[in-house]
Amino acid sequence: MAAAYGCLSEPHSGPIPVSAILRSAGMSTRAFYKHFGSKDELFLALLQEECDAVAARVNRIAEEAVGSPAHQLAAWIGEMFDVVFDPIHLIQLTVIDSDEVRMAKGYRETRECAHADRERSLVEILRRGQADGSFPLTDPDADAVAISAVVSRVMINSTPDDLQRLKQEQARVLDFALRAVGAVPPA
């Protein structure tokens, strides 16, 4: 999988052949097919691994439940933006969002499941805010989808080299999310 990341992150034209990935990994075709049925399965494994890592990061926020629901919402959004600040994660995200990986059979379904996994923790946070009255306007399931979509859209259109702008975007997304659920920004 590391070799696939390496090959896909290097400048190239056209699809990367499995043989190039295997050469980079120092792996035989037999060993590859022992773990993956096809190049598509390898690409889906890359996607799943990255999505699981992001979900684990945001799930911790919901599980630890530190501070008010507004603080937890801010932490959830902050954690999502931190992914863009991490150069290794950024390379991995660029690879799994590449045309070649997106063409893998099953990509869309895997990505949709990953979004649902990631949003589950956000739903939990929004439900806490609904239960304690701090998010009086929330529809947790619908708002989690909307907030997650806004976070994703802003992150896709942002570049980590402009840290100040990215922090401003993060603050705008948090403001949007808090207003959407009827809350005030955490102090």
Side-chain angles (χ1 to χ4, degrees):
M1 288 176 63
Y5 273 122
C7 289
L8 288 165
S9 64
E10 295 290 321
H12 61 281
S13 61
I16 300 283
V18 171
S19 60
I21 297 169
L22 296 178
R23 219 177 7 264
S24 177
M27 183 180 225
S28 71
T29 303
R30 175 182 264 182
F32 173 81
Y33 286 107
K34 188 175 181 182
H35 296 284
F36 303 103
S38 66
K39 185 167 71 166
D40 283 354
E41 282 187 23
L42 169 63
F43 290 169
L44 293 179
L46 296 175
L47 172 63
Q48 191 66 56
E49 180 181 73
E50 188 58 28
C51 291
D52 288 350
V54 172
R57 291 172 70 162
V58 294
N59 287 345
R60 254 190 309 280
I61 294 163
E63 290 165 5
E64 293 170 359
V66 175
S68 70
H71 283 97
Q72 294 167 35
L73 178 58
W76 192 96
I77 291 169
E79 194 63 43
M80 290 298 297
F81 274 82
D82 284 350
V83 170
V84 177
F85 296 133
D86 181 351
I88 292 172
H89 263 110
L90 184 59
I91 289 169
Q92 291 171 331
L93 289 172
T94 302
V95 166
I96 64 168
D97 196 44
S98 67
D99 289 339
E100 188 166 1
V101 174
R102 281 189 281 142
M103 297 294 288
K105 184 177 182 182
Y107 178 87
R108 184 169 32 187
E109 295 84 0
T110 302
R111 188 87 182 213
E112 287 171 5
C113 287
H115 280 278
D117 289 345
R118 184 179 72 207
E119 290 161 3
R120 206 167 287 120
S121 58
L122 184 53
V123 168
E124 188 176 327
I125 292 166
L126 295 174
R127 284 190 178 138
R128 280 189 201 125
Q130 185 180 46
D132 77 2
S134 59
F135 297 162
L137 304 178
T138 193
D139 173 351
D141 294 312
D143 290 341
V145 171
I147 291 167
S148 181
V150 169
V151 168
S152 294
R153 189 172 23 256
V154 170
M155 287 172 46
I156 287 169
N157 295 322
S158 299
T159 56
D161 35 320
D162 189 352
L163 187 60
Q164 183 64 30
R165 183 172 177 271
L166 203 53
K167 284 293 185 184
Q168 290 170 344
E169 293 294 336
Q170 181 179 335
R172 276 201 284 268
V173 169
L174 177 59
D175 180 61
F176 159 79
L178 291 170
R179 282 185 292 115
V181 299
V184 294

